[in-house]
Structure formats: C-alpha cells, structure tokens
Amino acid sequence: MMWRCQQHASTRVVRHANKRLRGKWLIDQLSFLPDPTKTQDDRDVYIRTVVPFSMISGLAMTAPFYGFNVWLIPMTLHIYGPEATYSLRTGSVLYVFSSQLLAMAITGSLLAPHIRDGSLSTGLGMLTGTVLSSSGLALTGLFLEMEMYGGLILSQFVLCGIGAGFCMTLIGYHGILWFRETNRPALGAGLHGFFAGLWPALFSFWGAALENAVGIGRSFYCVALMVALVQVPAILLTRSPTELPLLVQKESVISEVISDPLRAAAEDENGDADDKNIGNVQMSRSDDSSSTKHNSTNIVGNQIDNEVETFEAQPALTRRELLSCPQIWLQCFFLFMVFLPGFGIKYTISPLMSTIFSASEAVQSVASFLYLMSYSVTRLFVGFVAEIYLTPTSAAKIATGIQLPSLFFMGSMVKLEATSNPWMWAFVVAMMVVGCGLAASKVCIPLGAIENWGIDNLAQVNAMLQLSAGVAGVLGPFWIWFGLSRHSTGDLYIDDSLNDTEEDKLDIQKIMGNHILMFGACVTVGWLGEMFCVRKYKKVVHHVVNEGTSGNGQKGDR
C-alpha cells in the first residue's frame, strides 16, 4: 500500500513539474540548442541566441504589414485604372491596408488575459498567426487576379490583421519577459522593434522589384510563401518563460516524495497556484508593489482611531478596474496624438514623394527604406539605453519632442514651395527624424506600462495603448490621403506623370503643407500631455484601526 501511494504521488508530482513544458521535445531532439530548463548558464545562452532568432523568424509577416506603401500606388492603379485620381474612393486600398494595425491591436487586446494567465499556448498562437497571415496574403493575390476587390477586407483586415495580432503580441510580450530575467526588458522590446522594422525596410526594395517582375497579384503569392516558410522556426521555438521554466526547484520537490509521498500528493492537489511560480521567472513584486504608509491618530476619550492611508503602487488590476482609471484614458489619448503623424507618413511615403516632389519609383523605394531603417535602428538603440541611462517615461518625452521641429519644418518647407532636389532630401531626412521619434515611442509603450502600471498589468495596459496606436494607424494615413483628395484646381492623378500643370503642383503643396503643420500641432498636444499629465498609477487604501484603553491602563481591541 505504501509503495503504491509513493508511486502515485511521485507520478503526479513529476506530471505537475512538466505539464507546462510546451515545446521541450524540440529542444531534446536538437541537442545543439541550449536547454533553458536545466541550468542557469544554459538559460542565459538560450536568451541570448534562441530567443532573438525566434523573434526575427516570427516577424517576417511585418515585411508587407508595415512596408506595403511601395505597393500602394501600383495596387491602386491596378484596381482603378491608369488614370485614377486622388479621391476618398480611390483611397480604399490604403484604408484596408492601414486598418490591419487596428485589427492587430484589437486581437492583442483580446489575447491579453490569456497571455497573462498562460492559458494560450505560444506555439499554437504562432501557428495560428502564421497561417492567417500567409493565407490572407495569398487570398489578396487571388482577389486581385479575379477582380474581387471587396474580398480585400477579408484577406487583409481580417486574416492578415488578426494573424499579425497573434505574432506581434506573443513575440513582443514574451521577448520582454525573457530579457527581464537578465534585467534587460528594454532590450527585449528593442529587438522586437528592430526586427519589426528591418523586414519592411528591406521590403521597400525587394517588394517593389517583385511587383515589377511578376505583377501585383502574383507578388502576393510569393510573399505569402516566404512568410509561411520563414516563420516555421518561430512556430517551433517561440515559447514563454513559464512554458520552459528552470527545473532546479522541481528536483527537490520530487525528492521529497520519497520521504513523505502523502504530503507531496496532497500539495500537488493545490499546486496550480505554485505552477505560476516555476523556475526563475517568479516576478518579485518588491519593485512593482511597494507601498507607502501615512498614519494619523485621533484620540477621543479612551478610544484611539488610527487612520492608515496606504499607497499601493501598481497592484494587479482587473479589466474593469483598469477601465475605471482616468489615467489610462489620458495615456491612450496622448499616445494617439503622438502616433498620428508618424503612422500617417509611414504608410503614405510613396504618394507624398510622388505628388510633392514628382519622385520616381526608385526614389520612393529609397525614401521608404531610409524611413523604415531609421525606425528599426532607433528601436534597437532605445532598447539598449532605456532603463540604463533613461527611464521609459523620460525616453518617451524625448522621442516625442524631437518630432516637433521636424514636422513644422516639413510643413513649412512644402507650404513655401521648396521642392527642388536638395529640399526633397531635406524632407526625407526630416521624415527619418519623425520615424525615429515614432520608433522610440513604440518601444516605450510596453516599458512605460511596466514602469507606470507594474509587470502584473503589462498585458492588458499594453493592449489598450496599442489599441490607441491602431486607431492612429488608420486615421493618420486617412488624413494624408484626404489632403491629396482636396485638390481644388481639378483632378490630381495618382500617376504623377499625368500631372503636367504647374498650378496643380502649387495647389497640392499648399494643402499638404497645412496638413503636415496640423500633424505638428497634434504632436505638441501629445508632448504636453506626456510632460504634465502622465503619472504612475497608485491605489490609495484607507484603513481605520480602533484601539482603546481599559480601566487599568492596558490597551485592548474593541
């Protein structure tokens, strides 16, 4: 009887110790991979090598997701004809592609609770995201060739948007948690941003070349195949720290079974709470949940009322508690104002360069590459310096501040008709500065969520902030296209070679100059909000303790 009980308890504890080891079988099969569950040294090597590799693999879908601006003009001309003009109607291609960012943010918001409690398998989530993204791209090519343009809403907004939500959210969130074990969560966010910018930067060249070589429809098939193949390693390797915990502690638990199997079996019955603290990914709340107490004492007769006011910093909040905080809505609004210009320019680089400067396709690709590459490198740079030399909040304020002079310079330059070749490259440099500010602000979203709300609230706070960024990703490009559609002297052709009158150019330059200047005003509002309104969340708890004194002078509870 004792032997059976011992065997049963040992089996249950071993199963409990390994039930969260999702993906461990691949590491066992590939002996050259470091095993993050064995020793701390192997775990550190795993974080430095395997985690970045899985991140760059899993973010291949960002190539067309963020770099589609080089496809924007060819695709619009393919749908509406070679003599299509700028109008709200012909902007439908831009609306569908830019709305992917909103679909991604909504998906991330819905996934946040499941990522937070570990109920979503990371490998299954990456598989879902890859299948949705690649199938959405393939369907886009099919709809273009069959002239079923209404299907783009399904293929791009629904499939590619949701697929990006799975991949971007899982890689970004778990990347931060992995590098947090090395006290460098900012580096995890920086690497995520770097790879998410590197893919679309390179796509500025090979995406445009692919479209010229095989046509706009077939180019989607090629990109879909590339995404499906490149992201296979990420499906197999991307895991969260809690799915691959360090099992040193479990060895001592299993050894205890031999000495006291009944106790071990009983503890395993209630072991789900302990399961969240496996390995060295236990999140100490000493940094995130510090509290400050202020006491005030009132003495009335023999009764002493001690009122203790406790400031509980960054407690774990439910979704309802979070939504009831005015601070989260302020942060979302100011973030929206900051991101509006960056996304507006990022997704419309080709139309801006074509209409304002009559730039060729090659120049448009170079401008897109420079913007996206500066965006990518800046995110990596901020990942290295944030939390070492600057706090995330300070970095965000600087990132927003550097955009202000660039936007006002761009708007004034265009409005004053300074559109010669040297001024064009000055415009591109100013765009790069705006891209750097956008990139730094993007990195600071999850890091600022940790700083202001605590690690326990990272998933849902980050999801809400990303949702506001998603709205900016839709309205920013719309504002640019709306400006291009406001041409008052006649039709402005999307194919700039058809715009042969000087009057057309002067009119659109004044309009776009005003629109860019209004972007500068938006960033000014966001910067002032970050400077004076964004605060750390602290929960105020009031406790009243009543004490009294008895007749012989001794204290007693009442």
Side-chain angles (χ1 to χ4, degrees), residues 126-262:
M126 287 300 301
L127 175 62
T128 302
T130 302
V131 170
L132 290 175
S133 296
S134 57
S135 60
L137 290 168
L139 278 177
T140 299
L142 179 64
F143 290 146
L144 288 175
E145 292 191 340
M146 297 181 64
E147 298 184 356
M148 298 174 58
Y149 304 131
L152 297 179
I153 298 176
L154 170 65
S155 62
Q156 288 297 310
F157 175 73
V158 178
L159 296 181
C160 290
I162 295 176
F166 272 90
C167 296
M168 293 283 284
T169 304
L170 288 169
I171 292 177
Y173 183 71
H174 293 322
I176 291 174
L177 292 186
W178 275 113
F179 279 92
R180 190 173 187 267
E181 294 189 14
T182 62
N183 296 320
R184 297 298 306 276
L187 181 57
L191 286 171
H192 173 257
F194 174 71
F195 297 138
L198 179 62
W199 279 109
L202 298 176
F203 185 79
S204 298
F205 292 118
W206 68 265
L210 189 63
E211 184 272 327
N212 291 327
V214 301
I216 190 65
R218 293 183 179 179
S219 61
F220 277 92
Y221 296 147
C222 298
V223 176
L225 180 61
M226 182 277 295
V227 169
L229 295 178
V230 173
Q231 294 200 181
V232 169
I235 297 172
L236 300 175
L237 294 174
T238 303
R239 296 294 182 269
S240 70
T242 52
E243 290 173 329
L244 293 175
L246 190 62
L247 294 180
V248 175
Q249 294 181 353
K250 288 299 176 182
E251 294 178 359
S252 61
V253 172
I254 295 173
S255 63
E256 291 177 0
V257 175
I258 306 301
S259 59
D260 196 347
L262 293 176

Side-chain angles (χ1 to χ4, degrees), residues 60-90:
M61 39 68 56
T62 60
F65 185 83
Y66 284 133
F68 72 84
N69 78 88
V70 296
W71 275 349
L72 183 57
I73 291 179
M75 193 170 173
T76 303
L77 295 177
H78 175 86
I79 294 175
Y80 293 102
E83 296 185 355
T85 60
Y86 284 102
S87 67
L88 295 181
R89 175 174 171 268
T90 56

Side-chain angles (χ1 to χ4, degrees), residues 295-343:
N295 299 337
S296 61
T297 304
N298 297 322
I299 303 177
V300 180
N302 291 331
Q303 181 173 328
I304 303 175
D305 291 341
N306 292 323
E307 183 176 348
V308 182
E309 188 179 74
T310 303
F311 295 92
E312 186 180 355
Q314 294 101 16
L317 301 174
T318 64
R319 182 179 290 271
R320 177 170 296 189
E321 290 175 334
L322 179 65
L323 295 178
S324 65
C325 297
Q327 182 63 212
I328 188 63
W329 297 107
L330 285 174
Q331 292 183 20
C332 287
F333 172 73
F334 294 132
L335 193 71
F336 165 79
M337 299 299 284
V338 169
F339 279 17
L340 198 64
F343 280 123

